[in-house]
Amino acid sequence: MENSWATSDAGDPPATTARSFDLHLDALGKGPRSGVRRGLTDALREAVRGGRLAPGTRLPSSRALAADLGVARNTVADAYADLVAEGWLTARQGSGTRVAARDVPRPERPARPPRTRGGPVHDLMPGTPDVTSFPRAEWLKAARRALAAAPGDALGYGDPRGRIELRRALAGYLARARGVHAVPDRIVVVPGFVHGLSLLAEFLSERGLRDIAVESYGLDLHWNRLARTGLRTRPLALDERGTRTDGLAGHRAVLLTPAHQFPIGVPLRPDRRAAAVEWARRADGLILEDDYDGEFRYDRQPVGALQGLDPDRVVYLGTASKSLAPALRIAWMVLPAAIASQVAELKEAAGASGGALDQLTLAEFLTSGAYDRHVRAARLRYRRRRDQLVAALAERAPDVRVTGIAAGLHAVLELPPGTEQVVVQSASWQRLALQGLSRFRHPAATADRGDALVVGYGTPADHTWPAVLDALCRALP
């Protein structure tokens, strides 16, 4: 059946001043006036009966609806009169024609599944911040300023590399705070770290690479994403000093977390950082540097980005997911000059880009100093949580050794041999969501750090943190 679209206004003002909305009606048919009137009456009645026109909804004036439908005004007036007489509509002088109030049967709600007492209440998974501390007021101010100053082309499709305002702001911030050598033309903004990693994997695959070196411990999400483009992941050895870069021979690309290895938590030693860069120069290789939580270092100055040692051999990847919130979906890559345009073309071909308005807001947030203030406040808050975690474990679980706590949003709790899975199950009984270290071990890794927990202390809200600590200590041996 054909459909027609009618425009509704508030009463009978002149058409030039009427406020309107769309009203969908089934086709009214053709023929004599009585047939059109009957069709219009039936269509309106069904719209009310089916609930598409809710009680109290104001209908278009007879003049406006007649003009939109291309029928005589008297036809609409007669149809309205019929429905008023039947009780479907009401008509009052000065109030217009409205859908009459009536009892509308509510659809039955599906039965709510029973609550399980064993479901997790507190989230200690690593990798997410305390989103309840997101700086909403400051972000809103930045959004207003950014939108007011935004040029007209900001609302178009734009540059595949991202808004130039954000790329300029990032170039200045990353140089100052992370020691990154960056210019706006070599920065590509992407909707998340994984998306950037996918673009780089596609770039490497198109150039004939079939494998990529990775760390022995990390995220299978990243390994799987690399594998989807045909790259085999080859884990490097690991010791107490971090990832062993002497295993890079024979590779052409490597994914590293040099500032704070995830999840072990140790930084890459200076000699191994230098060795990795030297390997890249000799082998014409590429280092993908994941600087996922580089801003959060507590006991001394942050470890600078590896990219600063050789901007032509290192791709720097950063994200706002840890410092602000994952929902922003904003990450960035600082690329070597030789490949920046090629990666940008891959992004354009993929057709995925982040929201320009959020990018403009983040640019304003960075340049105004609000980002620095937020990161400093978050650093103090997370350091306080870390210190409380260490103190609670020292008092209530002194046999559990805590490592990887100099930076980041998680700690590694070393356990007695053979107890990891038992403690993870015990934590679930305490309604804690956390994971064992073995969950992050590459399937082909030869390194084994033993039994441990990876406890994220970023996610819980401040007011729940004491209860979380108490439940965690009860779960430990």
Side-chain angles (χ1 to χ4, degrees):
M1 178 181 291
E2 295 180 353
N3 296 321
S4 52
W5 291 89
T7 301
S8 168
D9 60 22
D12 268 329
T16 56
T17 61
R19 292 183 298 131
S20 63
F21 60 87
D22 288 330
L23 175 63
H24 175 76
L25 295 174
D26 290 335
L28 309 182
K30 301 185 181 297
R33 177 188 168 195
S34 60
V36 176
R37 170 182 168 183
R38 187 182 309 110
L40 176 59
T41 304
D42 291 343
L44 287 169
R45 185 188 298 110
E46 287 305 313
V48 175
R49 179 187 286 124
R52 290 197 299 108
L53 293 178
T57 300
R58 186 169 185 170
L59 298 182
S61 67
S62 58
R63 179 188 296 115
L65 186 56
D68 287 334
L69 297 178
V71 300
R73 183 181 180 185
N74 285 345
T75 300
V76 178
D78 290 344
Y80 279 180
D82 290 344
L83 294 171
V84 169
E86 294 176 16
W88 296 103
L89 305 179
T90 62
R92 295 181 182 177
Q93 187 68 29
S95 180
T97 304
R98 297 178 181 272
V99 177
R102 63 190 182 90
D103 292 332
V104 179
R106 297 182 178 180
E108 293 185 7
R109 293 184 179 180
R112 178 178 296 179
R115 294 183 178 180
T116 57
R117 297 187 61 186
V121 172
H122 302 299
D123 188 355
L124 290 178
M125 296 293 192
T128 54
D130 176 9
V131 294
T132 63
S133 66
F134 182 82
R136 301 186 187 210
E138 290 294 329
W139 185 263
L140 183 58
K141 292 176 184 177
R144 288 171 173 164
R145 293 193 299 266
L147 186 58
D153 65 359
L155 302 179
Y157 289 105
D159 192 318
R161 294 171 296 180
R163 288 300 307 173
I164 183 60
E165 296 88 347
L166 177 56
R167 290 186 283 122
R168 286 173 180 158
L170 284 170
Y173 172 77
L174 294 174
R176 169 173 54 84
R178 302 296 301 126
V180 174
H181 293 277
V183 294
D185 288 347
R186 291 167 57 177
I187 296 176
V188 173
V189 181
V190 289
F193 172 86
V194 172
H195 180 77
L197 186 62
S198 298
L199 293 176
L200 293 169
E202 183 179 354
F203 170 82
L204 294 173
S205 295
E206 287 185 354
R207 274 138 193 84
L209 270 70
R210 292 293 174 263
D211 59 41
I212 180 173
V214 297
E215 295 167 323
S216 291
Y217 286 81
L219 287 175
D220 57 359
L221 171 65
H222 298 167
W223 303 328
N224 294 340
R225 187 52 62 103
L226 292 167
R228 286 178 62 181
T229 59
L231 291 175
R232 294 185 297 269
T233 55
R234 308 290 193 185
L236 298 170
L238 181 76
D239 59 24
E240 67 279 357
R241 301 171 62 193
T243 299
R244 294 186 53 176
T245 53
D246 56 0
L248 287 172
H251 293 285
R252 292 280 306 284
V254 61
L255 173 63
L256 296 173
T257 53
H260 184 227
Q261 202 284 327
F262 181 85
I264 303 301
V266 296
L268 192 62
R269 296 287 294 265
D271 57 332
R272 294 185 178 182
R273 291 161 66 92
V277 171
E278 182 59 30
W279 157 82
R281 292 168 180 166
R282 286 196 318 270
D284 190 25
L286 195 64
I287 300 172
L288 312 184
E289 178 181 13
D290 179 4
D291 194 35
Y292 70 101
D293 60 0
E295 289 104 338
F296 298 121
R297 193 160 194 90
Y298 309 120
D299 298 326
R300 58 180 184 271
Q301 283 295 105
V303 176
L306 183 65
Q307 190 263 7
L309 297 181
D310 194 337
D312 292 325
R313 292 295 173 189
V314 182
V315 177
Y316 176 90
L317 296 105
T319 176
S321 295
K322 307 299 182 291
S323 57
L324 285 169
L328 291 180
R329 308 307 303 153
I330 298 179
W332 45 86
M333 300 182 288
V334 183
L335 298 149
I339 69 171
S341 61
Q342 300 167 65
V343 175
E345 289 172 2
L346 288 175
K347 183 196 172 191
E348 184 175 26
S353 62
L357 298 182
D358 281 341
Q359 292 183 31
L360 290 170
T361 302
L362 180 55
E364 173 65 25
F365 209 66
L366 284 162
T367 55
S368 69
Y371 185 85
D372 285 86
R373 292 192 295 272
H374 169 71
V375 168
R376 284 196 297 270
R379 189 184 296 129
L380 291 174
R381 183 169 60 255
Y382 294 139
R383 178 175 180 171
R384 183 167 58 248
R385 291 190 189 182
R386 182 207 65 171
D387 292 345
Q388 291 168 347
L389 170 64
V390 172
L393 294 174
E395 178 183 353
R396 301 181 57 181
D399 293 334
V400 174
R401 180 169 175 254
V402 188
T403 64
I405 58 174
L409 302 178
H410 72 273
V412 176
L413 279 55
E414 297 182 358
L415 302 172
T419 62
E420 180 180 304
Q421 296 306 315
V422 174
V423 175
V424 170
Q425 181 61 55
S426 176
S428 71
W429 292 335
Q430 298 296 331
R431 307 187 74 179
L432 296 176
L434 51 73
Q435 290 178 322
L437 181 60
S438 61
R439 171 67 176 76
F440 301 95
R441 185 170 177 266
H442 193 283
T446 57
D448 188 353
R449 299 286 294 188
D451 288 41
L453 299 179
V454 182
V455 176
Y457 51 80
T459 306
D462 284 339
H463 69 278
T464 67
W465 184 235
V468 174
L469 282 178
D470 184 61
L472 175 63
C473 290
R474 288 198 303 269
L476 294 172

